Amino acid sequence: MNTTTEPSRLIAERLKAQLGKEAFSTWFQGATIELVEDKITVAVGTKFAAHFINQHFADAIGSAASEVIGKPVSVAVVERGQAPVADVAPIEKILRAVAPEDAQRDFFIPELSELALKDDVHLMEMTPFTLQARGETRKELVYTTPQGVTIRVKAMDDHSLPTIDDYDLVLMMQTWLADLANQYRSQLERYESEKKAGRSPATPTAPPRIFDVSISEVVRFKRRKWGGAISEDILGSLDRLWNAEVVVDPMKGTKYRGGKFRLVGSAYEKLAETNTGAATRIRVAVPDWIYAGIVERAVPMLKTFNRDYMILAQPLHRALYRFLSLKVQKDGKTYSVSLTELAERFQTKQPQKYFNRDLKKAVAGCPDGRLLEFQLELIGKGDDRALRAWRPLQVE
């Protein structure tokens, strides 16, 4: 790699250490790296190399540069003599890079939400997905809540358990339906008001039970960039979700009801595809428990997430954020949970000591101990190690 300044040389060295000699020499041989203020530009010989590096190594380039100059940078990967393939916005270490147009998405993506199952039994009590799909051979995840409700997530037949990325589609379905339900309730209020006034308004139409969405809308919701086999990945996610069954089994004598649920209401259907057969639009039914909980319930039991949940880069950060969103109140009070309990809730396969190590790294990676709106700290020692979290009060 050719460099033009001393910081550029140091960035190249750090990048080589991160990626390894083989990957570095394969993709960055003959590349030119230039750092100007807070923007780093990597120029390579071919369009294919520029696309590949942007897709797979842009985060690593940004991380190496940030460590050298001490602040976030934007990254541009270009074919030598051509315009940039992509300009990646500055990010914090725990956040995944997003495309430049990401800021426009607030205009058409509603508030990110997750729904309780029933009777205040919430899937956020555990992770109904695997944090690491690689090497996963389990067919069932099992967690028993302190209230005596056992929640099971089962992969049926020869299918794999859903992954944390798969579950984004469940969040998207709930978020989309919650937005339509809010519009529907507003229309009902106007309808009743006009009827009382002696008018004859049209009866509002309830939200559909079918989730009809384009692949591009899914990519925007997940705050991803186009690349690779994105359509196949999304169809694979729907397949695993459809073939996952959630079983709620309360102990006798408790107030809770049992039941079985699918994470999506039907196998997907392709509505449109490209000439090569890649899906461009899909349809899947909304399961009854989601529709009843969001549309038919007077006060839906929804938890709202920070939009940046979708760009948390590490599965452990995302699982932790999701769990804390259920447990930590907005009054500034602290919530503590043992690392042993967290390992159970996150359904980790690791021995406890390795989970503790990874969680320590995850907390240490949060800038100033902040995971989005949560402040985190580890307390105690040894077997008494715990995580303490709270939402700092906003000063008006």
Side-chain angles (χ1 to χ4, degrees):
M1 174 177 275
N2 302 315
T3 58
T4 58
T5 64
E6 178 63 13
S8 297
R9 184 185 66 78
L10 293 174
I11 291 168
E13 289 178 357
R14 285 181 179 268
L15 187 61
K16 185 176 182 179
Q18 285 183 34
L19 301 180
K21 293 181 179 179
E22 184 176 350
F24 183 84
S25 62
T26 298
W27 293 105
F28 292 89
Q29 187 69 37
T32 299
I33 181 171
E34 182 179 12
L35 178 67
V36 178
E37 296 180 347
D38 60 353
K39 181 174 182 178
I40 185 169
T41 301
V42 178
V44 292
T46 67
K47 184 177 181 180
F48 173 79
H51 275 290
F52 188 92
I53 291 171
N54 181 67
Q55 189 69 30
H56 296 278
F57 301 131
D59 288 357
I61 296 168
S63 175
S66 297
E67 289 176 6
V68 170
I69 69 173
K71 61 180 180 179
V73 301
S74 63
V75 177
V77 183
V78 304
E79 179 186 1
R80 195 170 288 112
Q82 303 297 319
V85 173
D87 195 1
V88 181
I91 58 170
E92 296 293 343
K93 288 185 178 180
I94 66 170
L95 299 181
R96 172 175 52 77
V98 295
E101 68 272 15
D102 184 78
Q104 301 173 12
R105 294 173 184 168
D106 284 334
F107 289 112
F108 49 86
I109 291 181
E111 204 168 46
L112 182 60
S113 304
E114 183 167 353
L115 175 74
L117 282 171
K118 56 168 29 179
D119 295 336
D120 211 17
V121 175
H122 214 299
L123 276 179
M124 291 168 73
E125 293 280 0
M126 63 176 287
T127 57
F129 41 71
T130 59
L131 295 184
Q132 298 292 345
R134 182 178 298 175
E136 181 61 81
T137 58
R138 291 176 295 177
K139 302 293 288 184
E140 183 178 56
L141 306 174
V142 183
Y143 177 72
T144 299
T145 72
Q147 296 78 21
V149 178
T150 299
I151 305 173
R152 291 182 171 85
V153 180
K154 299 180 179 181
M156 296 188 291
D157 301 325
D158 59 347
H159 294 276
S160 303
L161 286 164
T163 68
I164 192 166
D165 286 331
D166 297 339
Y167 197 73
D168 288 347
L169 290 171
V170 179
L171 296 181
M172 183 178 186
M173 179 183 291
Q174 295 181 7
T175 297
W176 161 82
L177 189 62
D179 186 53
L180 292 182
N182 287 335
Q183 296 178 40
Y184 175 58
R185 291 187 182 95
S186 296
Q187 292 166 2
L188 282 176
E189 289 180 4
R190 289 195 296 270
Y191 172 76
E192 294 297 337
S193 177
E194 290 190 18
K195 280 186 64 177
K196 288 180 180 179
R199 303 186 186 95
S200 300
T203 304
T205 302
R209 291 178 176 269
I210 297 295
F211 185 46
D212 181 336
V213 65
S214 70
I215 297 297
S216 64
E217 288 171 323
V218 176
V219 172
R220 285 196 295 269
F221 179 83
K222 290 165 73 72
R223 300 181 70 184
R224 295 271 179 187
K225 293 182 290 183
W226 280 101
I230 189 69
S231 293
E232 288 78 2
D233 290 345
I234 291 170
L235 297 185
S237 292
L238 285 170
D239 198 39
R240 285 184 290 274
L241 293 170
W242 163 242
N243 286 286
E245 183 179 61
V246 180
V247 181
V248 178
D249 185 16
M251 291 178 60
K252 291 182 179 180
T254 66
K255 66 177 182 178
Y256 302 101
R257 294 173 293 169
K260 295 182 179 181
F261 312 88
R262 293 285 186 96
L263 291 175
V264 296
S266 67
Y268 67 85
E269 177 185 354
K270 280 188 189 181
L271 297 182
E273 59 184 35
T274 65
N275 292 335
T276 59
T280 58
R281 193 166 195 87
I282 54 176
R283 172 187 290 161
V284 63
V286 179
D288 289 342
W289 68 273
I290 289 180
Y291 195 88
I294 293 178
V295 178
E296 297 171 353
R297 187 183 175 97
V299 182
M301 296 159 57
L302 288 163
K303 292 293 181 181
T304 301
F305 290 2
N306 188 308
R307 280 286 319 287
D308 284 345
Y309 167 84
M310 283 294 173
I311 58 172
L312 288 171
Q314 300 302 318
L316 190 53
H317 281 137
R318 296 181 72 185
L320 190 57
Y321 178 87
R322 183 173 171 273
F323 174 69
L324 294 178
S325 295
L326 177 69
K327 296 296 184 181
V328 181
Q329 303 303 311
K330 298 181 180 180
D331 55 8
K333 294 181 180 179
T334 61
Y335 169 79
S336 297
V337 58
S338 72
L339 300 197
T340 302
E341 182 178 347
L342 273 182
E344 294 174 359
R345 289 181 181 272
F346 291 174
Q347 296 292 294
T348 180
K349 296 192 304 179
Q350 296 174 294
Q352 187 68 46
K353 66 177 182 178
Y354 294 122
F355 174 79
N356 293 357
R357 175 203 63 190
D358 288 352
L359 190 70
K360 182 179 179 181
K361 289 181 179 179
V363 173
C366 296
D368 300 320
R370 291 293 289 267
L371 178 63
L372 303 183
E373 67 264 33
F374 298 108
Q375 189 74 41
L376 309 179
E377 65 176 354
L378 290 172
I379 57 176
K381 295 182 179 179
D383 293 340
D384 295 326
R385 198 83 161 155
L387 177 74
R388 182 157 59 197
W390 66 98
R391 300 179 196 244
L393 297 174
Q394 301 296 319
V395 178
E396 298 295 337

